[in-house]
Amino acid sequence: MSGVWVVVEHRQGEVREITFEMFGKGNELARALGVQCHAVLLGDDIAPLAAKIKPLVPKILAVEDPGLSEYNALTYRAVLGELIRVHTPLMVMIGHTACGMEVAPRLCAGLKWPLATDCVDMQVVDGNIEVIRGMYSDKVNARVGFRGAPGCILTIRSGSFPCEPKADDDAEVTMLPSPPLSEAQERRFIELVAAPKGDVDITRADVLISVGRGLGGPENLPLVEAFAEALGATISCSRPVVDKKWLPKERQVGTSGKKVAPRVYIALGISGAFQHVTAMKQSGTVIAVNKDPRAPIFNVADYGVVGDMFDVVPALTKMLQEQDV
Ligand code: FAD
């Protein structure tokens, strides 16, 4: 049964987008390796989830157990660890998400398998798997191989691959027994607490002005608010701005915030860490203002201004206000 495995991430009955992104690449790599891509699905009622992914991969390996009703790193580690030990896949792809980042290292430690985290690309070179992963806040791309290993476990950065998987036929589903989950009981799922909904939905904005740590402090927000008013834009931000409580969480763009794709995205004092960029790079036109000419945000910007936002923003606001008059 060795092949390329994609671990299905799901929450509240919905398959998460990262899974579809991994299917596309998983199918491609499996073809290059001469094997099949398998979706690995854990849950307590897998039929509705299996129905959603059946047309997308050739095979589904499913483990159904009441102990798998909700995501739990310990139960996932127990089940996946046993499956990998018995079936030895060539490669296991897991989303580089809060769940995947928790499970993958535990699995590798238990199996003594190599792990490459936060992979942005993978390819087969002379029959061997090579992956590309960002390092030093994405200033360097490292190429990683796994010499002599029976297989490898990868966590995949969301947004790295398009969601366009398609297998030829509906997947064949193989039900596998669950190992005893009693040892994984020291952590229990209690409830899912949804984030409170605010009065602004940044995902629907046409023009977003996003502020980062370069803002310096909440006392400087009025400057950006005046700019946003003059432009008819909505204000969003990077994570440090939320962590410092300068703006509420509902304004955060990023992997742990919201994914946005406005017609125009203006990034002020944002460095362009991948956790931010992944969630805004689908925007129509990206304009970045940053003092540092080497800030990674310029890699995704259509227009870049190397300068101090405290000079640039008032000048733009003034220009817009004068145009209005
Ligand atoms: P910095 O990286 O500190 O950059 C500030 C930038 O402002 C610098 O480039 C600097 O040159 C520039 N600057 C400073 N002063 C000025 C000025 N006066 N004028 C112009 N430019 C100026 N981040 C997110 O944004 N969203 C997420 O959802 C998110 N999720 C994460 C999840 C995890 C698990 C982890 C580990 C991190 C996450 N992060 C997220 C954090 C992310 O890694 C970065 O730390 C963060 O995006 C950096 O925010 P920033 O660009 O505002 O700040």
Side-chain angles (χ1 to χ4, degrees), residues 101 211-215 237-241 252-257 268-273 275-276 289-292 295 307-310:
M101 281 190 267
V211 285
R213 206 190 322 244
L215 180 68
C237 63
S238 67
R239 178 159 151 175
V241 172
Q252 183 186 323
V253 174
T255 50
S256 55
L268 304 173
I270 291 179
S271 58
Q275 292 95 343
H276 187 86
V289 181
N290 198 302
K291 283 200 297 198
D292 177 3
D308 191 322
M309 61 178 274
F310 297 110

PDB file of all heavy atoms in Angstrom, residues 101 211-215 237-241 252-257 268-273 275-276 289-292 295 307-310, ligand 1:
ATOM      1  N   MET A 101       1.074  21.180  12.439  1.00  0.00           N
ATOM      2  CA  MET A 101       2.323  21.530  13.131  1.00  0.00           C
ATOM      3  C   MET A 101       2.426  20.803  14.472  1.00  0.00           C
ATOM      4  O   MET A 101       3.500  20.630  15.017  1.00  0.00           O
ATOM      5  CB  MET A 101       2.388  23.036  13.362  1.00  0.00           C
ATOM      6  CG  MET A 101       2.801  23.813  12.140  1.00  0.00           C
ATOM      7  SD  MET A 101       3.144  25.527  12.548  1.00  0.00           S
ATOM      8  CE  MET A 101       1.567  26.262  12.233  1.00  0.00           C
ATOM      9  N   VAL A 211      -2.105  47.649   7.983  1.00  0.00           N
ATOM     10  CA  VAL A 211      -0.976  48.215   8.721  1.00  0.00           C
ATOM     11  C   VAL A 211      -0.238  47.127   9.482  1.00  0.00           C
ATOM     12  O   VAL A 211      -0.839  46.176   9.973  1.00  0.00           O
ATOM     13  CB  VAL A 211      -1.406  49.326   9.721  1.00  0.00           C
ATOM     14  CG1 VAL A 211      -1.741  50.592   8.997  1.00  0.00           C
ATOM     15  CG2 VAL A 211      -2.530  48.873  10.616  1.00  0.00           C
ATOM     16  N   GLY A 212       1.069  47.308   9.579  1.00  0.00           N
ATOM     17  CA  GLY A 212       1.901  46.354  10.295  1.00  0.00           C
ATOM     18  C   GLY A 212       2.584  47.019  11.483  1.00  0.00           C
ATOM     19  O   GLY A 212       2.250  48.138  11.870  1.00  0.00           O
ATOM     20  N   ARG A 213       3.571  46.300  12.001  1.00  0.00           N
ATOM     21  CA  ARG A 213       4.282  46.797  13.184  1.00  0.00           C
ATOM     22  C   ARG A 213       4.934  48.148  12.926  1.00  0.00           C
ATOM     23  O   ARG A 213       5.199  48.918  13.851  1.00  0.00           O
ATOM     24  CB  ARG A 213       5.342  45.770  13.594  1.00  0.00           C
ATOM     25  CG  ARG A 213       5.664  45.848  15.069  1.00  0.00           C
ATOM     26  CD  ARG A 213       6.869  45.026  15.490  1.00  0.00           C
ATOM     27  NE  ARG A 213       7.026  43.762  14.841  1.00  0.00           N
ATOM     28  CZ  ARG A 213       6.964  42.581  15.460  1.00  0.00           C
ATOM     29  NH1 ARG A 213       6.702  42.526  16.742  1.00  0.00           N
ATOM     30  NH2 ARG A 213       7.178  41.457  14.790  1.00  0.00           N
ATOM     31  N   GLY A 214       5.195  48.453  11.630  1.00  0.00           N
ATOM     32  CA  GLY A 214       5.775  49.743  11.269  1.00  0.00           C
ATOM     33  C   GLY A 214       4.902  50.915  11.696  1.00  0.00           C
ATOM     34  O   GLY A 214       5.365  52.062  11.702  1.00  0.00           O
ATOM     35  N   LEU A 215       3.660  50.650  12.053  1.00  0.00           N
ATOM     36  CA  LEU A 215       2.762  51.716  12.519  1.00  0.00           C
ATOM     37  C   LEU A 215       3.303  52.370  13.795  1.00  0.00           C
ATOM     38  O   LEU A 215       3.034  53.549  14.052  1.00  0.00           O
ATOM     39  CB  LEU A 215       1.357  51.135  12.789  1.00  0.00           C
ATOM     40  CG  LEU A 215       0.295  52.101  13.278  1.00  0.00           C
ATOM     41  CD1 LEU A 215      -0.078  53.100  12.172  1.00  0.00           C
ATOM     42  CD2 LEU A 215      -0.961  51.356  13.748  1.00  0.00           C
ATOM     43  N   CYS A 237      -4.870  44.506   9.119  1.00  0.00           N
ATOM     44  CA  CYS A 237      -3.542  44.593   9.761  1.00  0.00           C
ATOM     45  C   CYS A 237      -2.832  43.244   9.776  1.00  0.00           C
ATOM     46  O   CYS A 237      -3.412  42.213   9.446  1.00  0.00           O
ATOM     47  CB  CYS A 237      -3.698  45.108  11.185  1.00  0.00           C
ATOM     48  SG  CYS A 237      -4.651  44.022  12.240  1.00  0.00           S
ATOM     49  N   SER A 238      -1.576  43.287  10.199  1.00  0.00           N
ATOM     50  CA  SER A 238      -0.798  42.065  10.399  1.00  0.00           C
ATOM     51  C   SER A 238      -0.989  41.616  11.853  1.00  0.00           C
ATOM     52  O   SER A 238      -1.571  42.330  12.674  1.00  0.00           O
ATOM     53  CB  SER A 238       0.683  42.320  10.104  1.00  0.00           C
ATOM     54  OG  SER A 238       1.202  43.206  11.076  1.00  0.00           O
ATOM     55  N   ARG A 239      -0.462  40.455  12.154  1.00  0.00           N
ATOM     56  CA  ARG A 239      -0.709  39.879  13.476  1.00  0.00           C
ATOM     57  C   ARG A 239      -0.134  40.670  14.659  1.00  0.00           C
ATOM     58  O   ARG A 239      -0.797  40.802  15.682  1.00  0.00           O
ATOM     59  CB  ARG A 239      -0.190  38.431  13.486  1.00  0.00           C
ATOM     60  CG  ARG A 239      -0.351  37.772  14.818  1.00  0.00           C
ATOM     61  CD  ARG A 239      -0.327  36.285  14.662  1.00  0.00           C
ATOM     62  NE  ARG A 239       0.198  35.675  15.858  1.00  0.00           N
ATOM     63  CZ  ARG A 239       0.239  34.375  16.045  1.00  0.00           C
ATOM     64  NH1 ARG A 239      -0.214  33.557  15.137  1.00  0.00           N
ATOM     65  NH2 ARG A 239       0.719  33.869  17.140  1.00  0.00           N
ATOM     66  N   PRO A 240       1.112  41.193  14.544  1.00  0.00           N
ATOM     67  CA  PRO A 240       1.622  41.934  15.714  1.00  0.00           C
ATOM     68  C   PRO A 240       0.709  43.083  16.129  1.00  0.00           C
ATOM     69  O   PRO A 240       0.629  43.421  17.314  1.00  0.00           O
ATOM     70  CB  PRO A 240       2.987  42.456  15.230  1.00  0.00           C
ATOM     71  CG  PRO A 240       3.389  41.555  14.130  1.00  0.00           C
ATOM     72  CD  PRO A 240       2.127  41.113  13.466  1.00  0.00           C
ATOM     73  N   VAL A 241       0.022  43.675  15.169  1.00  0.00           N
ATOM     74  CA  VAL A 241      -0.877  44.798  15.471  1.00  0.00           C
ATOM     75  C   VAL A 241      -2.042  44.316  16.356  1.00  0.00           C
ATOM     76  O   VAL A 241      -2.491  45.024  17.264  1.00  0.00           O
ATOM     77  CB  VAL A 241      -1.389  45.423  14.144  1.00  0.00           C
ATOM     78  CG1 VAL A 241      -2.459  46.459  14.384  1.00  0.00           C
ATOM     79  CG2 VAL A 241      -0.216  46.025  13.369  1.00  0.00           C
ATOM     80  N   GLN A 252      -7.324  41.040  11.324  1.00  0.00           N
ATOM     81  CA  GLN A 252      -6.035  40.409  11.007  1.00  0.00           C
ATOM     82  C   GLN A 252      -6.060  39.602   9.709  1.00  0.00           C
ATOM     83  O   GLN A 252      -6.883  38.713   9.527  1.00  0.00           O
ATOM     84  CB  GLN A 252      -5.613  39.481  12.154  1.00  0.00           C
ATOM     85  CG  GLN A 252      -4.236  38.850  11.922  1.00  0.00           C
ATOM     86  CD  GLN A 252      -3.896  37.832  12.979  1.00  0.00           C
ATOM     87  OE1 GLN A 252      -4.221  38.015  14.155  1.00  0.00           O
ATOM     88  NE2 GLN A 252      -3.255  36.747  12.582  1.00  0.00           N
ATOM     89  N   VAL A 253      -5.098  39.905   8.853  1.00  0.00           N
ATOM     90  CA  VAL A 253      -4.896  39.142   7.615  1.00  0.00           C
ATOM     91  C   VAL A 253      -3.794  38.120   7.879  1.00  0.00           C
ATOM     92  O   VAL A 253      -2.751  38.469   8.436  1.00  0.00           O
ATOM     93  CB  VAL A 253      -4.450  40.084   6.473  1.00  0.00           C
ATOM     94  CG1 VAL A 253      -4.088  39.300   5.220  1.00  0.00           C
ATOM     95  CG2 VAL A 253      -5.542  41.104   6.168  1.00  0.00           C
ATOM     96  N   GLY A 254      -4.010  36.886   7.490  1.00  0.00           N
ATOM     97  CA  GLY A 254      -2.927  35.916   7.644  1.00  0.00           C
ATOM     98  C   GLY A 254      -3.415  34.519   7.898  1.00  0.00           C
ATOM     99  O   GLY A 254      -4.619  34.269   7.967  1.00  0.00           O
ATOM    100  N   THR A 255      -2.457  33.617   8.028  1.00  0.00           N
ATOM    101  CA  THR A 255      -2.809  32.208   8.214  1.00  0.00           C
ATOM    102  C   THR A 255      -3.579  31.994   9.509  1.00  0.00           C
ATOM    103  O   THR A 255      -4.388  31.084   9.596  1.00  0.00           O
ATOM    104  CB  THR A 255      -1.552  31.316   8.232  1.00  0.00           C
ATOM    105  OG1 THR A 255      -0.624  31.883   9.161  1.00  0.00           O
ATOM    106  CG2 THR A 255      -0.898  31.226   6.874  1.00  0.00           C
ATOM    107  N   SER A 256      -3.305  32.808  10.522  1.00  0.00           N
ATOM    108  CA  SER A 256      -4.099  32.677  11.749  1.00  0.00           C
ATOM    109  C   SER A 256      -5.127  33.803  11.840  1.00  0.00           C
ATOM    110  O   SER A 256      -5.725  34.025  12.887  1.00  0.00           O
ATOM    111  CB  SER A 256      -3.185  32.640  12.987  1.00  0.00           C
ATOM    112  OG  SER A 256      -2.340  33.765  13.012  1.00  0.00           O
ATOM    113  N   GLY A 257      -5.317  34.514  10.739  1.00  0.00           N
ATOM    114  CA  GLY A 257      -6.370  35.530  10.663  1.00  0.00           C
ATOM    115  C   GLY A 257      -7.260  35.206   9.486  1.00  0.00           C
ATOM    116  O   GLY A 257      -7.678  34.052   9.329  1.00  0.00           O
ATOM    117  N   LEU A 268       1.163  48.798   4.623  1.00  0.00           N
ATOM    118  CA  LEU A 268       1.973  49.872   5.211  1.00  0.00           C
ATOM    119  C   LEU A 268       2.783  49.328   6.387  1.00  0.00           C
ATOM    120  O   LEU A 268       2.193  48.831   7.357  1.00  0.00           O
ATOM    121  CB  LEU A 268       1.059  50.996   5.715  1.00  0.00           C
ATOM    122  CG  LEU A 268       0.083  51.621   4.712  1.00  0.00           C
ATOM    123  CD1 LEU A 268      -0.863  52.591   5.430  1.00  0.00           C
ATOM    124  CD2 LEU A 268       0.844  52.343   3.601  1.00  0.00           C
ATOM    125  N   GLY A 269       4.085  49.380   6.296  1.00  0.00           N
ATOM    126  CA  GLY A 269       4.927  48.926   7.409  1.00  0.00           C
ATOM    127  C   GLY A 269       4.724  47.458   7.731  1.00  0.00           C
ATOM    128  O   GLY A 269       4.710  47.065   8.888  1.00  0.00           O
ATOM    129  N   ILE A 270       4.564  46.659   6.683  1.00  0.00           N
ATOM    130  CA  ILE A 270       4.412  45.197   6.838  1.00  0.00           C
ATOM    131  C   ILE A 270       5.593  44.545   6.133  1.00  0.00           C
ATOM    132  O   ILE A 270       5.867  44.848   4.967  1.00  0.00           O
ATOM    133  CB  ILE A 270       3.079  44.713   6.228  1.00  0.00           C
ATOM    134  CG1 ILE A 270       1.906  45.237   7.070  1.00  0.00           C
ATOM    135  CG2 ILE A 270       3.034  43.199   6.103  1.00  0.00           C
ATOM    136  CD1 ILE A 270       0.536  44.848   6.567  1.00  0.00           C
ATOM    137  N   SER A 271       6.287  43.634   6.835  1.00  0.00           N
ATOM    138  CA  SER A 271       7.511  43.072   6.251  1.00  0.00           C
ATOM    139  C   SER A 271       7.219  42.069   5.139  1.00  0.00           C
ATOM    140  O   SER A 271       7.989  41.956   4.188  1.00  0.00           O
ATOM    141  CB  SER A 271       8.353  42.402   7.343  1.00  0.00           C
ATOM    142  OG  SER A 271       7.604  41.405   7.989  1.00  0.00           O
ATOM    143  N   GLY A 272       6.103  41.304   5.273  1.00  0.00           N
ATOM    144  CA  GLY A 272       5.771  40.320   4.230  1.00  0.00           C
ATOM    145  C   GLY A 272       6.150  38.909   4.623  1.00  0.00           C
ATOM    146  O   GLY A 272       6.551  38.118   3.767  1.00  0.00           O
ATOM    147  N   ALA A 273       5.973  38.587   5.901  1.00  0.00           N
ATOM    148  CA  ALA A 273       6.206  37.197   6.344  1.00  0.00           C
ATOM    149  C   ALA A 273       5.193  36.302   5.636  1.00  0.00           C
ATOM    150  O   ALA A 273       4.094  36.739   5.301  1.00  0.00           O
ATOM    151  CB  ALA A 273       6.017  37.103   7.858  1.00  0.00           C
ATOM    152  N   GLN A 275       3.282  34.026   6.609  1.00  0.00           N
ATOM    153  CA  GLN A 275       1.970  33.855   7.263  1.00  0.00           C
ATOM    154  C   GLN A 275       1.025  34.991   6.881  1.00  0.00           C
ATOM    155  O   GLN A 275      -0.181  34.843   6.931  1.00  0.00           O
ATOM    156  CB  GLN A 275       2.119  33.819   8.792  1.00  0.00           C
ATOM    157  CG  GLN A 275       2.821  32.599   9.334  1.00  0.00           C
ATOM    158  CD  GLN A 275       4.296  32.831   9.563  1.00  0.00           C
ATOM    159  OE1 GLN A 275       4.870  33.794   9.040  1.00  0.00           O
ATOM    160  NE2 GLN A 275       4.915  31.972  10.342  1.00  0.00           N
ATOM    161  N   HIS A 276       1.589  36.134   6.517  1.00  0.00           N
ATOM    162  CA  HIS A 276       0.761  37.263   6.083  1.00  0.00           C
ATOM    163  C   HIS A 276       0.494  37.168   4.573  1.00  0.00           C
ATOM    164  O   HIS A 276      -0.655  37.214   4.126  1.00  0.00           O
ATOM    165  CB  HIS A 276       1.462  38.583   6.429  1.00  0.00           C
ATOM    166  CG  HIS A 276       0.598  39.779   6.175  1.00  0.00           C
ATOM    167  ND1 HIS A 276      -0.289  40.256   7.106  1.00  0.00           N
ATOM    168  CD2 HIS A 276       0.440  40.550   5.074  1.00  0.00           C
ATOM    169  CE1 HIS A 276      -0.945  41.282   6.592  1.00  0.00           C
ATOM    170  NE2 HIS A 276      -0.514  41.489   5.359  1.00  0.00           N
ATOM    171  N   VAL A 289       4.372  49.895   1.091  1.00  0.00           N
ATOM    172  CA  VAL A 289       5.220  51.000   1.553  1.00  0.00           C
ATOM    173  C   VAL A 289       6.055  50.462   2.708  1.00  0.00           C
ATOM    174  O   VAL A 289       5.512  49.984   3.712  1.00  0.00           O
ATOM    175  CB  VAL A 289       4.368  52.203   2.041  1.00  0.00           C
ATOM    176  CG1 VAL A 289       5.272  53.348   2.486  1.00  0.00           C
ATOM    177  CG2 VAL A 289       3.400  52.666   0.950  1.00  0.00           C
ATOM    178  N   ASN A 290       7.367  50.508   2.534  1.00  0.00           N
ATOM    179  CA  ASN A 290       8.244  49.971   3.569  1.00  0.00           C
ATOM    180  C   ASN A 290       9.591  50.691   3.510  1.00  0.00           C
ATOM    181  O   ASN A 290      10.086  51.002   2.427  1.00  0.00           O
ATOM    182  CB  ASN A 290       8.432  48.456   3.360  1.00  0.00           C
ATOM    183  CG  ASN A 290       8.944  47.777   4.609  1.00  0.00           C
ATOM    184  OD1 ASN A 290      10.007  48.128   5.127  1.00  0.00           O
ATOM    185  ND2 ASN A 290       8.178  46.829   5.108  1.00  0.00           N
ATOM    186  N   LYS A 291      10.165  50.922   4.697  1.00  0.00           N
ATOM    187  CA  LYS A 291      11.464  51.618   4.750  1.00  0.00           C
ATOM    188  C   LYS A 291      12.599  50.739   4.245  1.00  0.00           C
ATOM    189  O   LYS A 291      13.633  51.234   3.809  1.00  0.00           O
ATOM    190  CB  LYS A 291      11.767  51.989   6.216  1.00  0.00           C
ATOM    191  CG  LYS A 291      10.998  53.182   6.719  1.00  0.00           C
ATOM    192  CD  LYS A 291      11.653  53.817   7.946  1.00  0.00           C
ATOM    193  CE  LYS A 291      11.721  52.908   9.137  1.00  0.00           C
ATOM    194  NZ  LYS A 291      11.950  53.598  10.407  1.00  0.00           N
ATOM    195  N   ASP A 292      12.389  49.409   4.347  1.00  0.00           N
ATOM    196  CA  ASP A 292      13.461  48.468   4.032  1.00  0.00           C
ATOM    197  C   ASP A 292      13.321  47.980   2.583  1.00  0.00           C
ATOM    198  O   ASP A 292      12.380  47.254   2.264  1.00  0.00           O
ATOM    199  CB  ASP A 292      13.372  47.283   5.012  1.00  0.00           C
ATOM    200  CG  ASP A 292      14.402  46.203   4.710  1.00  0.00           C
ATOM    201  OD1 ASP A 292      15.216  46.392   3.784  1.00  0.00           O
ATOM    202  OD2 ASP A 292      14.386  45.172   5.405  1.00  0.00           O
ATOM    203  N   ALA A 295      12.589  44.259   2.129  1.00  0.00           N
ATOM    204  CA  ALA A 295      11.439  43.625   2.796  1.00  0.00           C
ATOM    205  C   ALA A 295      10.760  42.658   1.816  1.00  0.00           C
ATOM    206  O   ALA A 295      10.492  43.027   0.663  1.00  0.00           O
ATOM    207  CB  ALA A 295      10.452  44.688   3.268  1.00  0.00           C
ATOM    208  N   GLY A 307      10.119  53.833   1.514  1.00  0.00           N
ATOM    209  CA  GLY A 307      10.047  55.109   2.222  1.00  0.00           C
ATOM    210  C   GLY A 307       9.348  54.964   3.549  1.00  0.00           C
ATOM    211  O   GLY A 307       8.854  53.878   3.904  1.00  0.00           O
ATOM    212  N   ASP A 308       9.322  56.067   4.266  1.00  0.00           N
ATOM    213  CA  ASP A 308       8.714  56.104   5.597  1.00  0.00           C
ATOM    214  C   ASP A 308       7.208  56.330   5.444  1.00  0.00           C
ATOM    215  O   ASP A 308       6.785  57.302   4.799  1.00  0.00           O
ATOM    216  CB  ASP A 308       9.348  57.266   6.385  1.00  0.00           C
ATOM    217  CG  ASP A 308       8.983  57.216   7.851  1.00  0.00           C
ATOM    218  OD1 ASP A 308       7.817  56.868   8.158  1.00  0.00           O
ATOM    219  OD2 ASP A 308       9.848  57.525   8.685  1.00  0.00           O
ATOM    220  N   MET A 309       6.422  55.416   6.004  1.00  0.00           N
ATOM    221  CA  MET A 309       4.963  55.550   5.842  1.00  0.00           C
ATOM    222  C   MET A 309       4.439  56.851   6.446  1.00  0.00           C
ATOM    223  O   MET A 309       3.399  57.356   6.026  1.00  0.00           O
ATOM    224  CB  MET A 309       4.216  54.356   6.445  1.00  0.00           C
ATOM    225  CG  MET A 309       4.401  54.144   7.921  1.00  0.00           C
ATOM    226  SD  MET A 309       3.430  52.742   8.533  1.00  0.00           S
ATOM    227  CE  MET A 309       1.861  53.547   8.852  1.00  0.00           C
ATOM    228  N   PHE A 310       5.213  57.407   7.396  1.00  0.00           N
ATOM    229  CA  PHE A 310       4.746  58.668   8.018  1.00  0.00           C
ATOM    230  C   PHE A 310       4.987  59.876   7.102  1.00  0.00           C
ATOM    231  O   PHE A 310       4.471  60.956   7.350  1.00  0.00           O
ATOM    232  CB  PHE A 310       5.396  58.851   9.394  1.00  0.00           C
ATOM    233  CG  PHE A 310       4.991  57.748  10.332  1.00  0.00           C
ATOM    234  CD1 PHE A 310       5.902  56.784  10.732  1.00  0.00           C
ATOM    235  CD2 PHE A 310       3.677  57.645  10.769  1.00  0.00           C
ATOM    236  CE1 PHE A 310       5.515  55.748  11.563  1.00  0.00           C
ATOM    237  CE2 PHE A 310       3.276  56.605  11.592  1.00  0.00           C
ATOM    238  CZ  PHE A 310       4.205  55.649  11.995  1.00  0.00           C
TER     239      PHE A 310
HETATM  240  P1  FAD B   1       7.533  43.137  11.148  1.00  0.00           P
HETATM  241  O1  FAD B   1       7.957  41.839  10.578  1.00  0.00           O
HETATM  242  O2  FAD B   1       8.180  43.603  12.411  1.00  0.00           O
HETATM  243  O3  FAD B   1       7.744  44.226   9.995  1.00  0.00           O
HETATM  244  C1  FAD B   1       7.564  45.579  10.178  1.00  0.00           C
HETATM  245  C2  FAD B   1       7.969  46.230   8.874  1.00  0.00           C
HETATM  246  O4  FAD B   1       7.706  47.608   8.958  1.00  0.00           O
HETATM  247  C3  FAD B   1       9.463  46.087   8.564  1.00  0.00           C
HETATM  248  O5  FAD B   1       9.612  45.530   7.267  1.00  0.00           O
HETATM  249  C4  FAD B   1      10.004  47.517   8.609  1.00  0.00           C
HETATM  250  O6  FAD B   1      10.994  47.746   7.635  1.00  0.00           O
HETATM  251  C5  FAD B   1       8.754  48.310   8.310  1.00  0.00           C
HETATM  252  N1  FAD B   1       8.730  49.648   8.883  1.00  0.00           N
HETATM  253  C6  FAD B   1       9.025  50.034  10.147  1.00  0.00           C
HETATM  254  N2  FAD B   1       8.801  51.346  10.311  1.00  0.00           N
HETATM  255  C7  FAD B   1       8.351  51.797   9.117  1.00  0.00           C
HETATM  256  C8  FAD B   1       7.942  53.061   8.650  1.00  0.00           C
HETATM  257  N3  FAD B   1       7.928  54.119   9.454  1.00  0.00           N
HETATM  258  N4  FAD B   1       7.553  53.182   7.366  1.00  0.00           N
HETATM  259  C9  FAD B   1       7.552  52.117   6.518  1.00  0.00           C
HETATM  260  N5  FAD B   1       7.930  50.884   6.919  1.00  0.00           N
HETATM  261  C10 FAD B   1       8.311  50.723   8.196  1.00  0.00           C
HETATM  262  N6  FAD B   1       1.397  37.338  10.807  1.00  0.00           N
HETATM  263  C11 FAD B   1       0.352  37.913  10.187  1.00  0.00           C
HETATM  264  O7  FAD B   1       0.451  39.059   9.701  1.00  0.00           O
HETATM  265  N7  FAD B   1      -0.833  37.249  10.107  1.00  0.00           N
HETATM  266  C12 FAD B   1      -1.018  35.990  10.612  1.00  0.00           C
HETATM  267  O8  FAD B   1      -2.115  35.443  10.525  1.00  0.00           O
HETATM  268  C13 FAD B   1       0.073  35.364  11.247  1.00  0.00           C
HETATM  269  N8  FAD B   1      -0.039  34.118  11.753  1.00  0.00           N
HETATM  270  C14 FAD B   1       1.045  33.534  12.296  1.00  0.00           C
HETATM  271  C15 FAD B   1       0.933  32.200  12.749  1.00  0.00           C
HETATM  272  C16 FAD B   1       2.038  31.594  13.310  1.00  0.00           C
HETATM  273  C17 FAD B   1       1.887  30.172  13.781  1.00  0.00           C
HETATM  274  C18 FAD B   1       3.246  32.286  13.436  1.00  0.00           C
HETATM  275  C19 FAD B   1       4.446  31.611  14.033  1.00  0.00           C
HETATM  276  C20 FAD B   1       3.361  33.594  13.008  1.00  0.00           C
HETATM  277  C21 FAD B   1       2.263  34.236  12.446  1.00  0.00           C
HETATM  278  N9  FAD B   1       2.339  35.543  11.997  1.00  0.00           N
HETATM  279  C22 FAD B   1       1.290  36.087  11.355  1.00  0.00           C
HETATM  280  C23 FAD B   1       3.506  36.395  12.296  1.00  0.00           C
HETATM  281  C24 FAD B   1       4.454  36.533  11.132  1.00  0.00           C
HETATM  282  O9  FAD B   1       5.417  35.509  11.171  1.00  0.00           O
HETATM  283  C25 FAD B   1       5.208  37.883  11.224  1.00  0.00           C
HETATM  284  O10 FAD B   1       5.859  37.946  12.471  1.00  0.00           O
HETATM  285  C26 FAD B   1       4.286  39.072  11.079  1.00  0.00           C
HETATM  286  O11 FAD B   1       3.511  38.965   9.909  1.00  0.00           O
HETATM  287  C27 FAD B   1       5.131  40.342  10.992  1.00  0.00           C
HETATM  288  O12 FAD B   1       4.261  41.439  11.030  1.00  0.00           O
HETATM  289  P2  FAD B   1       4.739  42.834  10.494  1.00  0.00           P
HETATM  290  O13 FAD B   1       5.135  42.701   9.065  1.00  0.00           O
HETATM  291  O14 FAD B   1       3.666  43.805  10.830  1.00  0.00           O
HETATM  292  O15 FAD B   1       5.961  43.181  11.434  1.00  0.00           O
END
